[in-house]
Amino acid sequence: AQTIHQWPVAEIKAVGSPLSLGCTIKGKSSPNLYWYWQATGGTLQQLFYSITVGQVESVVQLNLSASRPKDDQFILSTEKLLLSHSGFYLCAWEAGGSQNTLYFGAGTRLSVL
Amino acid sequence: GDSVTQTEGLVTLTKGLPVMLNCTYQTTYSPFLFWYVQHLNEAPKLLLKSSTDNKRTEHQGFYATLHKSSSSFHLQKSSVQLSDSALYFCASRNSNNRIFFGDGTQLVVKP
Protein backbone atom coordinates (compact mmCIF):
# COMPACT_ATOMS: atom_id res chain seq x y z
CA ALA A 1 0.00 0.00 0.00
CA GLN A 2 1.09 3.52 -0.69
CA THR A 3 1.93 5.86 2.16
CA ILE A 4 2.66 9.56 2.19
CA HIS A 5 4.62 11.19 4.97
CA GLN A 6 5.04 14.89 5.54
CA TRP A 7 7.50 16.57 7.84
CA PRO A 8 7.51 18.40 10.10
CA VAL A 9 4.02 18.11 11.54
CA ALA A 10 4.10 21.72 12.70
CA GLU A 11 6.47 24.67 12.68
CA ILE A 12 6.64 28.04 14.38
CA LYS A 13 9.04 30.31 12.55
CA ALA A 14 10.07 33.94 12.58
CA VAL A 15 9.46 36.32 9.70
CA GLY A 16 12.52 36.38 7.47
CA SER A 17 13.75 32.95 8.47
CA PRO A 18 14.17 30.08 5.98
CA LEU A 19 11.81 27.14 5.64
CA SER A 20 11.98 23.63 4.27
CA LEU A 21 9.02 21.24 4.25
CA GLY A 22 9.26 17.69 3.01
CA CYS A 23 7.09 14.97 1.63
CA THR A 24 7.90 11.32 0.89
CA ILE A 25 5.75 8.77 -0.93
CA LYS A 26 6.38 5.07 -0.45
CA GLY A 27 4.95 2.20 -2.40
CA LYS A 28 4.37 4.03 -5.66
CA SER A 29 6.83 4.67 -8.44
CA SER A 30 6.75 7.83 -10.51
CA PRO A 31 3.76 9.48 -8.84
CA ASN A 32 2.57 12.95 -9.79
CA LEU A 33 3.26 15.14 -6.76
CA TYR A 34 1.58 18.34 -5.63
CA TRP A 35 1.94 21.04 -2.99
CA TYR A 36 -1.18 22.81 -1.73
CA TRP A 37 -1.62 25.67 0.72
CA GLN A 38 -4.68 26.23 2.85
CA ALA A 39 -5.51 29.17 5.09
CA THR A 40 -7.44 28.19 8.22
CA GLY A 41 -10.84 26.97 7.06
CA GLY A 42 -10.07 28.17 3.56
CA THR A 43 -9.83 26.72 0.12
CA LEU A 44 -6.98 24.61 -1.23
CA GLN A 45 -4.58 26.55 -3.41
CA GLN A 46 -2.33 24.49 -5.65
CA LEU A 47 1.24 25.78 -5.49
CA PHE A 48 3.40 23.35 -7.47
CA TYR A 49 3.19 20.03 -9.22
CA SER A 50 5.75 17.59 -10.54
CA ILE A 51 5.38 14.62 -12.86
CA THR A 52 8.99 13.48 -12.76
CA VAL A 53 12.29 13.88 -10.95
CA GLY A 54 13.89 17.26 -11.45
CA GLN A 55 10.82 18.78 -13.07
CA VAL A 56 8.54 21.14 -11.15
CA GLU A 57 5.80 23.37 -12.51
CA SER A 58 4.73 26.45 -10.61
CA VAL A 59 1.06 27.34 -10.36
CA VAL A 60 1.21 30.06 -7.74
CA GLN A 61 4.61 30.87 -6.29
CA LEU A 62 3.85 32.98 -3.21
CA ASN A 63 7.63 33.52 -2.80
CA LEU A 64 8.09 29.77 -2.39
CA SER A 65 9.98 27.22 -4.43
CA ALA A 66 9.75 23.48 -4.84
CA SER A 67 12.08 20.73 -5.90
CA ARG A 68 11.88 17.03 -6.60
CA PRO A 69 15.32 15.59 -5.89
CA LYS A 70 14.16 11.96 -5.92
CA ASP A 71 11.27 10.06 -7.43
CA ASP A 72 9.60 9.73 -4.03
CA GLN A 73 10.46 13.11 -2.52
CA PHE A 74 9.05 16.61 -2.89
CA ILE A 75 10.45 19.63 -1.06
CA LEU A 76 8.90 23.05 -0.49
CA SER A 77 11.14 25.86 0.64
CA THR A 78 11.82 29.55 0.93
CA GLU A 79 14.80 31.57 2.06
CA LYS A 80 12.70 34.25 3.70
CA LEU A 81 9.33 33.65 5.34
CA LEU A 82 6.52 36.20 5.26
CA LEU A 83 3.59 36.48 7.66
CA SER A 84 1.33 35.49 4.76
CA HIS A 85 3.02 32.10 4.57
CA SER A 86 1.19 30.94 7.67
CA GLY A 87 -1.26 28.15 7.01
CA PHE A 88 -1.59 24.46 6.34
CA TYR A 89 0.68 22.92 3.72
CA LEU A 90 -0.45 19.72 2.11
CA CYS A 91 1.50 17.40 -0.10
CA ALA A 92 -0.50 15.12 -2.38
CA TRP A 93 0.23 12.34 -4.81
CA GLU A 94 -1.58 10.91 -7.76
CA ALA A 95 -0.97 7.67 -9.59
CA GLY A 96 -0.87 9.39 -12.94
CA GLY A 97 -2.53 8.32 -16.15
CA SER A 98 -6.29 8.27 -15.81
CA GLN A 99 -6.42 7.70 -12.04
CA ASN A 100 -7.31 11.33 -11.42
CA THR A 101 -7.44 11.05 -7.64
CA LEU A 102 -5.34 13.05 -5.21
CA TYR A 103 -4.23 11.47 -1.94
CA PHE A 104 -3.15 13.98 0.65
CA GLY A 105 -0.56 13.74 3.37
CA ALA A 106 -1.38 14.75 6.93
CA GLY A 107 -0.04 18.23 6.33
CA THR A 108 2.29 20.68 8.03
CA ARG A 109 0.83 23.52 10.06
CA LEU A 110 3.04 26.60 9.77
CA SER A 111 2.82 29.66 11.97
CA VAL A 112 4.96 32.63 11.02
CA LEU A 113 5.37 35.21 13.78
CA GLY B 1 -11.19 30.21 -17.33
CA ASP B 2 -11.69 27.02 -15.39
CA SER B 3 -13.38 27.37 -12.02
CA VAL B 4 -15.51 25.63 -9.42
CA THR B 5 -18.26 27.39 -7.50
CA GLN B 6 -19.72 26.32 -4.19
CA THR B 7 -22.48 28.72 -3.27
CA GLU B 8 -22.87 27.86 0.42
CA GLY B 9 -20.13 28.76 2.82
CA LEU B 10 -21.87 27.29 5.82
CA VAL B 11 -24.71 24.81 6.10
CA THR B 12 -26.17 24.00 9.51
CA LEU B 13 -28.58 21.10 9.89
CA THR B 14 -30.13 18.92 12.53
CA LYS B 15 -29.16 15.26 12.61
CA GLY B 16 -31.34 13.05 10.44
CA LEU B 17 -32.26 15.69 7.88
CA PRO B 18 -31.28 15.55 4.20
CA VAL B 19 -28.56 17.79 2.79
CA MET B 20 -27.50 19.04 -0.63
CA LEU B 21 -24.26 20.93 -1.15
CA ASN B 22 -24.11 22.78 -4.42
CA CYS B 23 -21.28 22.60 -6.92
CA THR B 24 -21.10 24.05 -10.41
CA TYR B 25 -18.07 24.14 -12.63
CA GLN B 26 -16.67 25.82 -15.67
CA THR B 27 -14.07 24.05 -17.76
CA THR B 28 -12.92 23.83 -21.35
CA TYR B 29 -11.68 20.31 -20.67
CA SER B 30 -13.77 17.16 -20.48
CA PRO B 31 -15.03 17.47 -16.89
CA PHE B 32 -13.76 15.23 -14.11
CA LEU B 33 -15.37 16.23 -10.81
CA PHE B 34 -14.55 15.32 -7.23
CA TRP B 35 -15.88 15.82 -3.74
CA TYR B 36 -13.35 15.85 -0.91
CA VAL B 37 -14.16 15.93 2.79
CA GLN B 38 -11.88 17.45 5.41
CA HIS B 39 -12.50 16.89 9.09
CA LEU B 40 -11.05 19.32 11.61
CA ASN B 41 -7.24 19.28 11.68
CA GLU B 42 -7.08 16.47 9.15
CA ALA B 43 -6.11 16.22 5.50
CA PRO B 44 -8.79 16.19 2.79
CA LYS B 45 -9.95 12.75 1.69
CA LEU B 46 -11.69 11.74 -1.50
CA LEU B 47 -15.40 11.16 -1.05
CA LEU B 48 -16.69 10.83 -4.62
CA LYS B 49 -15.55 11.31 -8.17
CA SER B 50 -17.14 11.13 -11.61
CA SER B 51 -16.59 11.87 -15.25
CA THR B 52 -19.70 10.08 -16.53
CA ASP B 53 -22.67 12.20 -17.48
CA ASN B 54 -25.95 11.49 -15.68
CA LYS B 55 -24.61 8.58 -13.66
CA ARG B 56 -25.07 8.61 -9.89
CA THR B 57 -22.00 7.77 -7.83
CA GLU B 58 -22.24 6.87 -4.14
CA HIS B 59 -19.96 6.42 -1.16
CA GLN B 60 -20.55 6.29 2.59
CA GLY B 61 -24.16 7.36 2.17
CA PHE B 62 -23.28 10.40 0.08
CA TYR B 63 -24.17 10.57 -3.59
CA ALA B 64 -23.74 12.90 -6.55
CA THR B 65 -24.59 12.95 -10.23
CA LEU B 66 -22.56 14.77 -12.84
CA HIS B 67 -24.86 16.76 -15.12
CA LYS B 68 -22.89 18.17 -18.02
CA SER B 69 -25.94 19.99 -19.35
CA SER B 70 -26.06 22.17 -16.24
CA SER B 71 -22.36 21.90 -15.31
CA SER B 72 -23.27 20.64 -11.87
CA PHE B 73 -22.12 17.99 -9.41
CA HIS B 74 -24.17 18.51 -6.25
CA LEU B 75 -23.45 16.39 -3.18
CA GLN B 76 -26.39 14.87 -1.33
CA LYS B 77 -27.16 12.68 1.63
CA SER B 78 -30.59 11.58 2.76
CA SER B 79 -29.91 11.67 6.50
CA VAL B 80 -26.92 13.51 7.97
CA GLN B 81 -25.10 12.31 11.06
CA LEU B 82 -23.07 14.21 13.65
CA SER B 83 -19.90 12.68 12.20
CA ASP B 84 -20.65 14.31 8.84
CA SER B 85 -19.69 17.70 10.27
CA ALA B 86 -16.70 18.73 8.16
CA LEU B 87 -15.48 20.97 5.36
CA TYR B 88 -16.54 19.74 1.92
CA PHE B 89 -14.69 20.69 -1.25
CA CYS B 90 -15.84 20.26 -4.81
CA ALA B 91 -13.00 20.07 -7.32
CA SER B 92 -12.52 19.84 -11.06
CA ARG B 93 -9.56 18.86 -13.15
CA ASN B 94 -8.32 20.52 -16.33
CA SER B 95 -5.95 19.33 -19.00
CA ASN B 96 -2.94 21.11 -17.48
CA ASN B 97 -2.80 18.90 -14.38
CA ARG B 98 -4.38 21.67 -12.41
CA ILE B 99 -7.14 20.73 -10.03
CA PHE B 100 -9.43 23.57 -9.12
CA PHE B 101 -11.01 23.45 -5.71
CA GLY B 102 -14.10 25.39 -4.75
CA ASP B 103 -14.05 27.59 -1.67
CA GLY B 104 -15.51 24.80 0.42
CA THR B 105 -18.74 24.37 2.34
CA GLN B 106 -18.63 23.93 6.09
CA LEU B 107 -21.31 21.46 7.16
CA VAL B 108 -22.34 21.60 10.81
CA VAL B 109 -24.69 18.90 12.05
CA LYS B 110 -26.44 19.55 15.36
CA PRO B 111 -28.02 16.97 17.69
Side-chain angles (χ1 to χ4, degrees):
Chain A
Q2 299 86 6
T3 59
I4 179 169
H5 173 62
Q6 281 189 246
W7 73 91
V9 172
E11 279 266 47
I12 300 175
K13 303 278 281 186
V15 169
S17 63
L19 174 77
S20 181
L21 305 180
C23 172
T24 299
I25 292 85
K26 296 299 181 186
K28 179 64 189 174
S29 62
S30 304
N32 295 337
L33 297 175
Y34 301 80
W35 278 110
Y36 281 84
W37 175 80
Q38 184 183 31
T40 302
T43 192
L44 297 159
Q45 174 66 63
Q46 190 179 62
L47 300 176
F48 300 94
Y49 71 91
S50 170
I51 61 173
T52 192
V53 175
Q55 183 182 28
V56 176
E57 298 294 331
S58 171
V59 177
V60 176
Q61 282 191 321
L62 300 181
N63 291 309
L64 298 166
S65 61
S67 64
R68 187 167 177 179
K70 302 178 185 177
D71 185 54
D72 63 353
Q73 196 172 77
F74 206 19
I75 307 295
L76 183 71
S77 60
T78 183
E79 293 184 0
K80 205 175 265 191
L81 279 166
L82 307 172
L83 286 174
S84 58
H85 286 136
S86 292
F88 197 34
Y89 288 85
L90 292 152
C91 180
W93 73 272
E94 179 196 34
S98 61
Q99 292 297 314
N100 284 309
T101 298
L102 286 177
Y103 299 94
F104 288 89
T108 296
R109 193 161 298 281
L110 174 66
S111 296
V112 182
L113 306 175
Chain B
D2 295 348
S3 64
V4 173
T5 301
Q6 294 180 247
T7 52
E8 309 99 353
L10 172 67
V11 172
T12 303
L13 286 173
T14 302
K15 182 181 72 170
L17 291 179
V19 66
M20 184 170 83
L21 306 183
N22 291 315
C23 174
T24 56
Y25 64 89
Q26 186 173 339
T27 181
T28 55
Y29 183 60
S30 181
F32 205 123
L33 273 293
F34 309 82
W35 276 101
Y36 279 82
V37 57
Q38 185 179 26
H39 288 92
L40 189 64
N41 295 323
E42 294 184 7
K45 294 178 184 175
L46 178 69
L47 186 56
L48 297 169
K49 65 178 181 179
S50 180
S51 60
T52 305
D53 198 12
N54 297 318
K55 181 180 178 182
R56 175 164 152 163
T57 182
E58 301 187 38
H59 185 62
Q60 296 181 338
F62 287 91
Y63 59 95
T65 303
L66 177 62
H67 291 296
K68 294 182 181 180
S69 61
S70 58
S71 299
S72 67
F73 190 56
H74 305 320
L75 181 68
Q76 299 182 71
K77 190 175 186 183
S78 58
S79 175
V80 293
Q81 304 303 309
L82 295 175
S83 58
D84 293 329
S85 293
L87 187 55
Y88 291 81
F89 290 101
C90 183
S92 171
R93 181 185 200 92
N94 74 359
S95 60
N96 292 325
N97 271 342
R98 185 168 177 187
I99 296 180
F100 290 82
F101 283 85
D103 289 340
T105 297
Q106 182 71 50
L107 175 63
V108 176
V109 181
K110 296 185 174 181

